[in-house]
């Protein structure tokens, strides 16, 4: 979008990790307290924008703004969830607490619970369809993709250099590492405390 050249390098194929989950939730009410995620307003807007742009170019729908249900399966969760709408400064109409009887009435599929939350500003995404559509979206924008590629990453005079096993080399001032948990085991970041 900002006119920069981008390269995506992945030692695996798209969707082989968590991104290949058949069902994904965009849920800003996290953990056992249903705490509002860090920068939830901004993040939800950015995610919505990306999904809409990719969906506009896809022939198959892959996401729905349908909300997320968070049943309180214990009394402790119930107390946490009930406090969440006020405690974490939620925007108006993003999250709603339902006591046990109202929750049963609204969501009868849940048999055992102590009430629950309905997170209105949340989405469900079909992971495999999204990955396919997003790959096509990126290719149309001349994003270079190198999948199933072993690579070495190093710094040289303030620039990052990524060398692919086939001999390709890319240089950049910026690297975004999206390896998730495996990042802590990566030798690329040994220089960090």
């Amino acid at each position: 979008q900002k006119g920069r050249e981008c390269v995506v390098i992945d030692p695996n194929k798209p969707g082989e990790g968590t991104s290949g989950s058949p069902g994904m939730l965009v849920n800003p009410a996290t953990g056992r307290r249903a705490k509002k995620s860090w920068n939830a307003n901004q993040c939800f807007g950015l995610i919505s924008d990306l999904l809409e742009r990719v969906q506009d170019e896809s022939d198959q729908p892959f996401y729905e703004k349908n909300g997320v249900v968070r049943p309180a399966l214990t009394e402790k969760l119930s107390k946490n969830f009930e406090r969440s709408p006020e405690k974490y400064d939620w925007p108006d109409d993003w999250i709603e607490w339902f006591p046990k009887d109202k929750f049963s009435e609204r969501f009868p599929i849940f048999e055992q619970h102590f009430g629950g939350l309905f997170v209105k500003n949340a989405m469900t995404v079909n992971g495999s369809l999204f990955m396919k559509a997003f790959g096509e979206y990126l290719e149309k924008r001349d994003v270079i993709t190198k999948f199933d590629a072993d690579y070495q990453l190093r710094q040289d005079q303030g620039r990052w250099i990524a060398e692919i096993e086939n001999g390709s080399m890319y240089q950049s001032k910026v690297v975004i590492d999206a390896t998730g948990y495996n990042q802590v085991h990566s030798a690329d970041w040994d220089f960090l405390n």
Side-chain angles (χ1 to χ4, degrees), residues 141-166:
R141 282 150 184 83
D142 297 325
V143 172
I144 299 167
T145 56
K146 299 290 182 181
F147 296 114
D148 240 351
D150 284 329
Y151 67 95
Q152 296 295 317
L153 187 63
R154 62 185 166 84
Q155 280 191 303
D156 185 26
Q157 297 180 10
R159 295 188 69 77
W160 288 97
I161 299 172
E163 293 181 68
I164 313 290
E165 64 182 344
N166 68 4

Side-chain angles (χ1 to χ4, degrees), residues 23-41 43-45 47-48 51 64-71 81 84 90 94-96 117-125:
M24 303 175 184
L25 296 178
V26 178
N27 173 20
T30 62
R32 64 184 188 275
R33 292 187 178 90
K35 185 176 179 180
K36 185 173 76 170
S37 298
W38 176 75
N39 279 343
N41 307 39
C43 291
F44 193 83
I47 292 168
S48 296
L51 291 173
E64 215 178 326
K65 287 187 179 180
N66 53 359
V68 169
V69 178
R70 301 264 338 252
F81 284 7
S84 180
W90 283 94
W94 268 44
I95 188 170
E96 185 175 357
L117 288 171
F118 180 56
V119 185
K120 299 172 189 178
N121 242 18
M123 295 179 271
T124 305
V125 181

Side-chain angles (χ1 to χ4, degrees), residues 24-171:
M24 303 175 184
L25 296 178
V26 178
N27 173 20
T30 62
R32 64 184 188 275
R33 292 187 178 90
K35 185 176 179 180
K36 185 173 76 170
S37 298
W38 176 75
N39 279 343
N41 307 39
Q42 182 183 9
C43 291
F44 193 83
L46 291 169
I47 292 168
S48 296
D49 177 61
L50 174 66
L51 291 173
E52 286 171 24
R53 283 186 285 122
V54 175
Q55 183 65 75
D56 286 346
E57 296 182 24
S58 176
D59 56 352
Q60 205 169 8
F62 57 77
Y63 83 102
E64 215 178 326
K65 287 187 179 180
N66 53 359
V68 169
V69 178
R70 301 264 338 252
L73 301 177
T74 67
E75 282 191 67
K76 187 174 181 178
L77 277 179
S78 172
K79 290 174 185 171
N80 288 338
F81 284 7
E82 186 175 6
R83 287 190 294 257
S84 180
E86 300 301 320
K87 185 175 182 179
Y88 299 113
D89 190 31
W90 283 94
D92 292 340
D93 297 328
W94 268 44
I95 188 170
E96 185 175 357
W97 163 253
F98 289 94
K100 189 171 183 169
D101 57 337
K102 298 237 190 244
F103 190 82
S104 290
E105 188 179 304
R106 177 89 190 264
F107 306 106
I109 191 168
F110 297 101
E111 293 178 9
Q112 303 224 342
H113 61 79
F114 293 85
L117 288 171
F118 180 56
V119 185
K120 299 172 189 178
N121 242 18
M123 295 179 271
T124 305
V125 181
N126 180 312
S128 57
L129 290 178
F130 168 70
M131 291 297 292
K132 181 179 182 295
F134 190 43
E136 292 167 0
Y137 176 88
L138 291 175
E139 287 171 8
K140 288 178 189 174
R141 282 150 184 83
D142 297 325
V143 172
I144 299 167
T145 56
K146 299 290 182 181
F147 296 114
D148 240 351
D150 284 329
Y151 67 95
Q152 296 295 317
L153 187 63
R154 62 185 166 84
Q155 280 191 303
D156 185 26
Q157 297 180 10
R159 295 188 69 77
W160 288 97
I161 299 172
E163 293 181 68
I164 313 290
E165 64 182 344
N166 68 4
S168 301
M169 186 183 299
Y170 302 96
Q171 295 185 41

